[in-house]
Amino acid sequence: MRIAHVGIDDTDSNYLGMCTTYIGALVDERLKGLGYAGIGEPRLIRLNPAYPMKTRGNGAVHLRYYIHDRRDASRLFEEVENIVARYATLKDPKTDPGVVLLVRDDQYPPQELEGFYLSALRGTVDLSAALRILMNLGGMAAWFKGGRGVIGAMAAIGAPEGSSTVYELLAYRSAGLGKGPRNVDEESVRLADLETWPMTYDNYDWYYMEPLVAPRGPDPVLLGIRGPDRGAVLRGYDLIKVDCRVERLLIYRTNHGSGSHVLDLESISELKPYTTVRLEGRVSKRPIMGSGSHVFFELEDSRGFRIRVAAYEPTKHFRLIAMGLEPGDRVRITGSFRPHDPDPPTVNLERLEVLELAQLTGVSAPRCPKCGHRMESEGSGKGYRCPKCGHRDRSLRPMEVRIPRKITLGEFVPPPRAHRHLTKPPEASIWEGRPSCSVEE
Ligand code: ATP
């Protein structure tokens, strides 16, 4: 027996609906119905969140089945192609589906594709490079229109097994139901969160009292629950009440919450467009709140290179932390970099670590040497007078005082409603058994 690795991507549209994970579920049911036994868990692999051509969460799927021979593989491939042709939103000019099939001796993601996955996760790759690699591996590809989806489909197959340790249960309503809120009972989402957190996460935004499990777009996803423990994810789902028919359900293993999309850079001069980076430096310009209530400040690294950093409006109270920064503060920022023409190049913050706070000083009138009361200035160069005991002194000078800072040292992340799929959530420190240093204020 051999293993057929199937990758699928780019089947959906922001305005016409559909979802690659839903097509993955249809494919899985169809193939199993035809007698193909699955092996391993279905995987939903998120790729570069800063890639500009993505529809939403830049996700692709990887499915695996036992096959007998090449003929069997071709039959399976044809089935997958037919389902994608039938359900993908081909009418959207931006939808360019791709399907990839690799036949291997085992279920494990081919090591030869690991580098390709990492490039698609952290940078930008082109289709011709993808096709060359696929040909060398003896794989098959089918594409519709531009076929850009082949990139994501290959990257999903190449994501190492250990890259995906979080489960996402996805429940679907019928495709084509249009956009708008799903009929999910809010109280039950709160209960499910209380009961299963931290082994499920981002179910509910307690800061803004808003359920996060259900999307609002025209796609067939009714709700999704994620966490590192399959049992907790299932328990969470059991607790959530929905007032509509659940058409189907699939649990994917994903690279969500891994933080693996982030590149560590030594200097701002190494920034490349459409990457997510982690950088250290000092705040060089005081934060301002601009139009749209976005907050901007400037960061300077140890080599003197500077970059604009933004905490955008959707990050809500996280912006207050950014606003509390002062020139001289040492920080480590994590965020996606966009050239932003005609705006200045900007890093869009998704995490902020405050490492060192600059000491802020100001001046104040001195204390009265006789009674200790705060004195008042008599005018420029005319000394001070105590309003309590009347003592006057022309020789006294203003005192230097320390101004208390509005923020503390620590690691800050936006509220759950603004989390990206790949962003490491504060709960990850609990899963990993290390003391939590993520604080949100
Ligand atoms: P959804 O999450 O709703 O399924 P999406 O956000 O995944 O949608 P797609 O419609 O799949 O968006 O579009 C992303 C497209 O970009 C795919 O064709 C994929 O192959 C391609 N792609 C993804 N990451 C990269 C990358 N790093 N470099 C080049 N192409 C990429």
Side-chain angles (χ1 to χ4, degrees):
M1 288 293 249
R2 304 196 76 197
I3 309 295
H5 291 252
V6 178
I8 309 170
D9 196 13
D10 208 337
T11 61
D12 49 18
S13 154
N14 260 334
Y15 65 96
L16 294 173
M18 193 37 64
C19 176
T20 303
T21 67
Y22 179 78
I23 290 189
L26 294 177
V27 165
D28 195 52
E29 278 170 30
R30 173 78 184 147
L31 293 181
K32 286 179 176 158
L34 288 171
Y36 289 99
I39 178 167
E41 288 150 303
R43 295 198 305 159
L44 161 58
I45 301 297
R46 300 284 173 185
L47 302 169
N48 185 355
Y51 181 63
M53 302 301 287
K54 65 176 187 165
T55 308
R56 287 183 302 260
N58 206 2
V61 303
H62 175 211
L63 307 167
R64 293 165 272 190
Y65 304 92
Y66 285 105
I67 49 162
H68 293 287
D69 48 32
R70 286 288 313 174
R71 246 188 50 202
D72 205 10
S74 302
R75 201 162 66 91
L76 176 148
F77 192 54
E78 215 177 285
E79 287 295 335
V80 182
E81 238 188 299
N82 288 341
I83 292 172
V84 172
R86 177 160 172 211
Y87 289 95
T89 54
L90 295 169
K91 281 196 186 126
D92 182 338
K94 286 198 193 146
T95 304
D96 289 315
V99 179
V100 167
L101 177 88
L102 268 181
V103 177
R104 309 284 295 181
D105 289 331
D106 60 43
Q107 70 181 90
Y108 301 107
Q111 260 186 357
E112 302 94 306
L113 274 183
E114 184 174 342
F116 182 82
Y117 159 67
L118 290 174
S119 304
L121 175 72
R122 298 175 181 160
T124 302
V125 288
D126 68 64
L127 185 55
S128 52
L131 292 172
R132 260 198 314 277
I133 297 171
L134 189 66
M135 258 169 52
N136 286 340
L137 287 174
M140 293 197 243
W143 63 83
F144 305 78
K145 297 156 64 191
R148 197 176 46 237
V150 167
I151 296 171
M154 269 176 68
I157 295 176
E161 203 73 69
S163 67
S164 32
T165 55
V166 162
Y167 292 91
E168 170 129 27
L169 178 152
L170 286 162
Y172 301 98
R173 55 187 193 146
S174 299
L177 284 183
K179 48 180 177 183
R182 315 301 200 241
N183 293 331
V184 175
D185 177 65
E186 194 169 328
E187 180 62 22
S188 72
V189 177
R190 282 196 283 268
L191 278 176
D193 193 53
L194 288 171
E195 186 99 351
T196 59
W197 184 89
M199 299 322 268
T200 70
Y201 69 103
D202 284 0
N203 301 308
Y204 193 78
D205 191 324
W206 292 92
Y207 295 99
Y208 299 96
M209 302 301 276
E210 186 184 33
L212 301 174
V213 291
R216 287 172 166 265
D219 55 278
V221 175
L222 173 63
L223 63 90
I225 304 179
R226 59 205 72 84
D229 181 317
R230 195 184 159 93
V233 163
L234 276 163
R235 170 92 185 114
Y237 175 69
D238 279 345
L239 289 167
I240 294 179
K241 295 184 191 139
V242 292
D243 189 14
C244 63
R245 197 173 79 81
V246 176
E247 191 195 81
R248 50 175 46 84
L249 192 136
L250 190 61
I251 302 181
Y252 282 99
R253 217 146 52 75
T254 78
N255 56 352
H256 289 181
S258 59
S260 52
H261 59 309
V262 179
L263 285 166
D264 278 300
L265 298 189
E266 287 288 316
S267 164
I268 289 167
S269 61
E270 296 163 18
L271 275 173
K272 290 206 183 82
Y274 311 119
T275 56
T276 302
V277 297
R278 187 163 33 228
L279 270 171
E280 224 178 280
R282 290 200 186 265
V283 175
S284 46
K285 261 193 202 157
R286 177 161 292 123
I288 48 158
M289 188 171 271
S291 68
S293 302
H294 310 305
V295 171
F296 299 100
F297 64 90
E298 189 185 73
L299 185 80
E300 180 174 338
D301 67 18
S302 56
R303 298 193 210 159
F305 292 99
R306 293 172 172 218
I307 187 73
R308 184 170 88 143
V309 183
Y312 287 108
E313 193 281 332
T315 63
K316 300 292 175 199
H317 65 269
F318 175 68
R319 290 169 301 163
L320 298 178
I321 308 293
M323 273 307 276
L325 292 169
E326 292 286 343
D329 287 347
R330 194 162 65 83
V331 294
R332 189 179 297 124
I333 60 162
T334 304
S336 51
F337 174 60
R338 282 181 177 234
H340 261 310
D341 197 30
D343 292 336
T346 303
V347 173
N348 172 3
L349 270 189
E350 64 179 58
R351 182 176 297 266
L352 173 67
E353 291 163 76
V354 182
L355 305 173
E356 200 183 303
L357 288 173
Q359 246 185 44
L360 289 189
T361 52
V363 285
S364 156
R367 297 254 172 213
C368 173
K370 289 241 166 94
C371 72
H373 201 82
R374 175 87 55 209
M375 299 183 84
E376 284 172 356
S377 171
E378 296 258 81
S380 173
K382 292 189 183 139
Y384 289 88
R385 178 183 170 277
C386 176
K388 193 170 176 204
C389 68
H391 174 69
R392 281 200 160 85
D393 194 331
R394 287 185 78 92
S395 66
L396 285 175
R397 295 281 163 265
M399 279 172 32
E400 195 170 84
V401 287
R402 200 186 265 197
I403 300 174
R405 295 296 309 267
K406 291 185 184 143
I407 56 170
T408 57
L409 300 184
E411 192 176 338
F412 303 92
V413 288
R417 70 208 303 273
H419 285 175
R420 292 190 138 155
H421 294 294
L422 284 165
T423 299
K424 205 171 222 189
E427 290 85 351
S429 56
I430 307 175
W431 310 337
E432 289 161 5
R434 62 182 165 86
S436 171
C437 59
S438 289
V439 277
E440 262 192 77
E441 294 193 337

